[in-house]
Amino acid sequence: MLRYLFILDVAIAVLGASMVIGVGVSALLLGWYLDTAPEYRDQVFTLVELTLVYLSATVAAGLAAWGLRRQRSWHWLAQAALLLAGFGSYLVSITSLSAQ
């Protein structure tokens, strides 16, 4: 059973890392060209916020997978942190993207 949870944690970490890279590069490029299009300033802050939220979920998934792999006693706390970070990133994503 824990093997499947480990695979799920690694999959969530990889998905989160790809989201961090994609949204982070978008924020970087939009911030780079902000002087030519200052009307996109709010979108830059939204993208940075989404990048940080996805990064927290990625780190939580990585720690949860690492705790399971090393059979640490705190791996259930890391799973709970992953659930909270995942739910938080879901809420921030929905509120940020629906406000656009």
Side-chain angles (χ1 to χ4, degrees):
M1 178 68 176
L2 292 180
R3 182 182 331 179
Y4 299 119
L5 189 59
F6 173 75
I7 292 170
L8 180 66
D9 289 342
V10 170
I12 291 172
V14 169
L15 175 67
S18 66
M19 291 296 291
V20 167
I21 291 169
V23 176
V25 167
S26 298
L28 180 69
L29 290 175
L30 196 59
W32 184 268
Y33 292 108
L34 196 58
D35 56 346
T36 60
E39 64 270 8
Y40 294 124
R41 185 173 307 276
D42 292 336
Q43 282 81 8
V44 171
F45 293 129
T46 301
L47 289 175
V48 169
E49 179 185 29
L50 287 173
T51 303
L52 293 176
V53 170
Y54 295 149
L55 181 64
S56 69
T58 303
V59 169
L63 285 174
W66 187 68
L68 276 174
R69 178 76 174 136
R70 298 290 179 193
Q71 297 176 353
R72 302 290 184 200
S73 61
W74 47 264
H75 70 84
W76 290 114
L77 290 174
Q79 296 295 330
L82 173 59
L83 284 175
L84 287 175
F87 185 68
S89 66
Y90 169 76
L91 288 178
V92 169
S93 297
I94 294 298
T95 57
S96 296
L97 297 176
S98 67
Q100 297 296 326

